Amino acid sequence: MRGIRIPSSDGAGPGASRKDFHLSEANRLKDSASPYLRSAAHQPVDWNEWGEAAFAKARAEGKPILLDIGAVWCHWCHVIDRESYENEEIAALINRLYVAVKVDRDERPDVDARYQAAISAISGQGGWPLTAFLTPDGKPFFGGTYFPPEDAMGRPGFKRILASIAEAFAKRRAEVDTSAKALEEAVAQAELFREARGMFDAGVVETMVGGMTRLFDERNGGFGQAPKFPHSSALDLLLDRQKAAGEGSELPAIAEKTLDAMAAGGVYDQLGGGFHRYSVDERWRVPHFEKMSYDNSELLKNYLHGWQVFGKPAYRRVAEGIIGWVTETLSDQERGGFYASQDADQTLEDDGDYFTWTRAEVRAALTAEEARVAELAYDVEERGEMHHNPAKNVLWLARTPEEIAKETGMDEAGVRLTLARASGKLLEARRRRPAPAVDTTIYAGWNAMFVAAFFEAARVLGRADCGAFARKTLDRLVAEGWDARKGFAHRIGSTSGAAAGPRLEGSLDDQVFGAAALLDAYEATLERGYFEKAERTAEIILEKYGDAEGGGFFDRASDAAPLGGRDIRRKPLQDSPTPGANAAAAIVLDRLYGLTGKALYRERAEKTLEAFAGIAPQYGLFAATYALAARLHARHPLQVVVTGAAGDAKATALEQAALAAYRFGKAVLRVTPEQLAAGGLAPALAETIPHLDARKAQALVCVEASCRPPVTEAAQLTAILSEAAAGAIAG
């Protein structure tokens, strides 16, 4: 709130001294189900978990609320913890003047989203840690992100802010309440997109693609400047659009350059596989080292699609690298489930030390020849890229094997073998280091996204193990977290040994990504149980989350428990960073329409797209999922039905041809005589091709209620799918 002045004095406020702290050794967060909250159990702050008890306490004591929102993987959250929340003087000030509430943004994305919007409106920035000051009923009136403990670099220190905000709350309460109310009303209006409606126009896709191309970094790949984040939906859109763009289009070059640059950069873990969250520089070289489930699931899809479109072996290697890292580090292989994240740092003092190398460390792990090749390949020098320790190098692909061969006099094959051997040794040496912690919480929405990615990997790469694990995970999500009345819960569980905690009801994201994963499972197996649960989940989305009048979907169910002082309704559009839930919902509804023929699904998909038609182009790159949904809606999902007995070589060749081509929203259904007899074919297709002979090896390409004549040769099918990609079939 701009009306609150932070005075220049350095006073810490009345009575704020060490003697005021009387908490026991562990605060009340010690039994939390959240690893982020448990990590603060030793702090001298009298933390409360989010809930009515905290608001009641603030009202009873007449105190403002200090809200900290962060995550266990967040580097700057660890910094503010160490500098301020573990400082007994600052903790005493907080305990005297505030009711302190700590929230895990992964556990409560609904809480986080609302306060992010409010604090961004106040300060012009959001992110984590989010530090917000609230009235006792939960309305924000001031805030920011990270604050240093003392005044530094022209920024007011946290100690002074705490005292000043508490004084303003006590002496200028009417002003605080007025500002909080005005902010709430403004944010509520913005979150509902009431002025964003318009007629659906498929031309929005070209407008949004044009905006993305203008942001393309021609030199380094990606979009915009530093810091650089992956934009997975945008890459999928460009890959899907590139064949229809025609000769001379720049779209293939944009997608290829970006995939190449990310794969070669330090943002990709060159030894262990998997992507770090983002790059702090424009060249993709120096990352923020945390690795997130939701980034890697969508990037896995990007590299699978890049492999399909361009056929580059490097893209397949990156996809396999993501799978390998997830299998080893980010999954419960025994029970099924993808973990939430891996931290950036092993201790508060390091900054990616687990992932980075000094030249001495490289030479200690390798022979002289191996070290020479590795240092050239990964740009390992005496002075590296890390500011906290200049000797530390981020590994990135600086030279090709061909270039190294010319520089060393070795033959190229020898360079490749030597580099592979050296990389393996470095990885083994790294495994002996203390590793950053893994958050083993199982979140439904993020798991569903990875289930979809693993089903796709199974089919594109021929990785049956990926398909089996995707199924195991989805079956666990359904068994432990799906309810025919409520859909998916948000949190399924954790294998960290902590209590599972109370059931966290799911959000729109959980339902939408869960329904999409169920549809993927059905397409991969033709088991009707998956299809029926997908349709029931879609019904729940329509019933409990839908805005039947205005179109689109709210992020929380209509019967969700009250949300303290932030019970505003919001419709998520932006990809931030997971795909925008409203666009993802439209995609699910259009897929269901293609499989069932039920007009309601298509009507609600279109109404959802219309709800944001007037604003989506302004979001551009950050609403790429909306553009994908619009493109799919305009041309309808495409289904390829391949028949033939199990093991039939000709049917297998047809299936492989169907899987080899990338087209967003394409479904490949492999139908055997047994599956057809069991009623495995989706209702709309069963009506469209009622006399299908599943004994014969053939393929039919279907769009809406129309199918092309069946073909029996893989080359014929490839030609038809190429026509479809170029826009000759249904757009």
Side-chain angles (χ1 to χ4, degrees):
M1 188 184 73
R2 294 179 178 84
I4 293 182
R5 182 177 62 87
I6 306 300
S8 58
S9 66
D10 198 30
S17 66
R18 226 174 133 170
K19 64 183 181 182
D20 294 314
F21 174 60
H22 299 295
L23 285 179
S24 59
E25 186 174 328
N27 62 42
R28 62 174 62 86
L29 299 184
K30 67 182 187 305
D31 297 321
S32 173
S34 158
Y36 175 61
L37 269 55
R38 287 199 309 277
S39 73
H42 66 287
Q43 294 172 1
V45 177
D46 185 12
W47 288 115
N48 297 266
E49 291 200 47
W50 174 272
E52 178 53 33
F55 293 116
K57 182 179 179 182
R59 289 192 295 268
E61 297 180 8
K63 292 180 179 179
I65 292 170
L66 170 66
L67 176 66
D68 171 82
I69 303 179
V72 72
W73 46 263
C74 166
H75 172 75
W76 286 101
C77 300
H78 299 327
V79 173
I80 200 171
D81 277 345
R82 177 182 57 192
E83 292 180 343
S84 294
Y85 297 133
E86 293 174 13
N87 179 302
E88 292 194 6
E89 183 181 358
I90 293 177
L93 185 63
I94 293 169
N95 295 338
R96 176 175 292 276
L97 299 177
Y98 295 89
V99 171
V101 176
K102 206 169 187 73
V103 170
D104 182 339
R105 66 87 43 211
D106 294 346
E107 187 177 81
R108 293 304 304 261
D110 52 347
V111 175
D112 176 61
R114 284 157 173 77
Y115 286 102
Q116 288 286 349
I119 299 308
S120 293
I122 293 170
S123 66
Q125 64 177 353
W128 304 282
L130 192 76
T131 308
F133 296 89
L134 323 178
T135 62
D137 58 358
K139 292 180 173 58
F141 62 93
F142 187 78
T145 53
Y146 163 79
F147 292 110
E150 306 286 352
D151 293 1
M153 297 175 291
R155 300 185 67 186
F158 197 33
K159 194 188 302 182
R160 183 152 61 88
I161 286 172
L162 289 166
S164 301
I165 295 298
E167 182 181 10
F169 180 82
K171 296 182 178 179
R172 307 194 328 254
R173 179 64 185 273
E175 179 187 339
V176 165
D177 287 343
T178 299
S179 295
K181 188 173 187 300
L183 175 65
E184 179 184 40
E185 291 173 354
V187 171
Q189 288 294 321
E191 291 288 343
L192 286 175
F193 294 97
R194 285 204 173 100
E195 307 302 319
R197 286 192 59 77
M199 293 295 293
F200 172 69
D201 179 1
V204 72
V205 176
E206 300 312 310
T207 301
M208 295 176 76
V209 167
M212 293 171 198
T213 60
R214 286 190 291 274
L215 286 172
F216 175 60
D217 180 348
E218 295 182 8
R219 181 174 182 179
N220 302 297
F223 304 94
Q225 302 304 313
K228 244 180 199 167
F229 289 82
H231 290 278
S232 294
S233 291
L235 284 173
D236 272 357
L237 176 65
L238 295 175
L239 288 169
D240 184 63
R241 183 72 187 81
Q242 59 101 14
K243 284 198 175 179
E247 292 293 329
S249 169
E250 61 186 327
L251 301 188
I254 291 174
E256 189 173 13
K257 175 74 172 180
T258 301
L259 290 170
D260 287 347
M262 290 194 301
V267 74
Y268 178 70
D269 183 347
Q270 300 294 337
L271 297 181
F275 281 87
H276 302 291
R277 193 162 71 97
Y278 68 94
S279 174
V280 301
D281 67 307
E282 70 278 2
R283 297 180 296 174
W284 301 103
R285 290 185 187 172
V286 182
H288 249 232
F289 289 93
E290 60 269 15
K291 291 182 178 180
M292 310 303 299
S293 168
Y294 56 72
D295 287 326
N296 281 280
S297 64
E298 303 315 283
L299 284 162
L300 173 55
K301 294 173 191 173
N302 285 157
Y303 280 91
L304 292 172
H305 301 157
W307 163 246
Q308 289 174 297
V309 171
F310 298 113
K312 280 192 169 183
Y315 296 167
R316 177 167 187 146
R317 284 197 300 273
V318 170
E320 298 273 12
I322 296 172
I323 294 166
W325 168 70
V326 167
T327 300
E328 179 179 345
T329 304
L330 210 73
S331 59
D332 183 344
Q333 288 294 301
E334 182 179 349
R335 299 173 59 199
F338 297 92
Y339 300 148
S341 62
Q342 184 175 26
D343 206 341
D345 313 313
Q346 196 271 323
T347 70
L348 291 175
E349 282 68 42
D350 79 59
D351 186 2
D353 286 356
Y354 176 77
F355 300 101
T356 55
W357 297 80
T358 66
R359 179 177 277 182
E361 288 170 337
V362 169
R363 292 180 177 180
L366 305 177
T367 67
E369 182 180 63
E370 291 166 349
R372 187 183 183 200
V373 169
E375 288 169 19
L376 289 170
Y378 294 131
D379 192 40
V380 178
E381 299 180 347
E382 283 297 330
R383 185 174 182 86
E385 296 88 355
M386 303 306 297
H387 293 298
H388 79 295
N389 182 355
K392 280 280 193 174
N393 290 263
V394 178
L395 304 188
W396 61 281
L397 295 180
R399 295 172 181 83
T400 65
E402 182 182 13
E403 290 168 336
I404 296 170
K406 288 179 181 178
E407 191 163 341
T408 62
M410 299 172 64
D411 65 272
E412 189 175 334
V415 169
R416 292 183 185 278
L417 288 171
T418 302
L419 182 58
R421 189 166 60 248
S423 298
K425 285 184 178 181
L426 290 174
L427 181 58
E428 284 304 313
R430 195 177 82 176
R431 285 177 175 142
R432 292 192 288 271
R433 299 174 176 177
V438 172
D439 177 2
T440 59
T441 309
I442 308 292
Y443 292 115
W446 296 356
N447 266 256
M449 290 164 64
F450 240 132
V451 164
F454 262 47
F455 271 128
E456 194 155 0
R459 308 190 84 180
V460 173
L461 302 180
R463 291 281 301 262
D465 59 325
C466 290
F469 189 73
R471 236 184 123 161
K472 180 191 283 188
T473 297
L474 184 58
D475 289 346
R476 180 181 177 186
L477 295 182
V478 169
E480 297 182 22
W482 188 81
D483 183 294
R485 295 171 296 110
K486 298 180 178 181
F488 286 94
H490 177 59
R491 180 183 60 213
I492 305 305
S494 169
T495 58
S496 64
R503 176 184 169 97
L504 285 176
E505 297 301 340
S507 65
L508 176 63
D509 286 58
D510 297 308
Q511 314 315 325
V512 168
F513 298 134
L518 287 163
L519 287 175
D520 290 335
Y522 165 70
E523 291 170 4
T525 66
L526 290 192
E527 291 189 13
R528 286 299 292 265
Y530 290 126
F531 179 81
E532 289 162 2
K533 286 182 175 63
E535 189 165 16
R536 177 57 196 144
T537 305
E539 291 168 354
I540 291 168
I541 293 169
L542 294 173
E543 294 165 6
K544 293 182 178 291
Y545 295 84
D547 181 352
E549 182 178 339
F553 300 92
F554 301 110
D555 66 332
R556 304 182 79 236
S558 55
D559 58 357
L563 198 61
R566 299 300 291 157
D567 270 322
I568 63 172
R569 309 211 77 183
R570 62 181 297 271
K571 295 178 181 178
L573 167 67
Q574 186 173 336
D575 300 338
S576 60
T578 55
N582 267 274
I587 291 168
V588 165
L589 292 172
D590 270 326
R591 289 177 67 186
L592 274 170
Y593 170 68
L595 293 169
T596 66
K598 293 182 181 178
L600 172 66
Y601 294 141
R602 181 162 176 82
E603 290 166 4
R604 292 300 292 272
E606 183 153 326
K607 199 166 185 180
T608 299
L609 294 169
E610 288 177 341
F612 306 98
I615 198 78
Q618 297 177 36
Y619 278 78
L621 180 69
F622 300 96
T625 307
Y626 180 92
L628 280 169
R631 183 159 167 78
L632 181 67
H633 187 74
R635 70 185 184 187
H636 297 281
L638 180 146
Q639 296 124 357
V640 184
V641 179
V642 178
T643 63
D648 185 307
K650 207 163 194 177
T652 298
L654 287 166
E655 183 182 16
Q656 289 174 344
L659 294 170
Y662 172 59
R663 173 180 164 120
F664 182 77
K666 178 192 68 181
V668 178
L669 307 174
R670 176 69 174 91
V671 184
T672 65
E674 294 78 14
Q675 288 168 324
L676 186 64
L681 204 58
L685 288 170
E687 291 179 12
T688 303
I689 41 180
H691 305 299
L692 183 68
D693 183 358
R695 297 169 298 177
K696 182 179 180 180
Q698 58 185 336
L700 299 90
V701 177
C702 304
V703 177
E704 204 172 5
S706 175
C707 295
R708 292 280 292 260
V711 296
T712 57
E713 299 297 330
Q716 295 173 304
L717 179 57
T718 298
I720 292 173
L721 293 175
S722 292
E723 288 179 36
I729 298 177

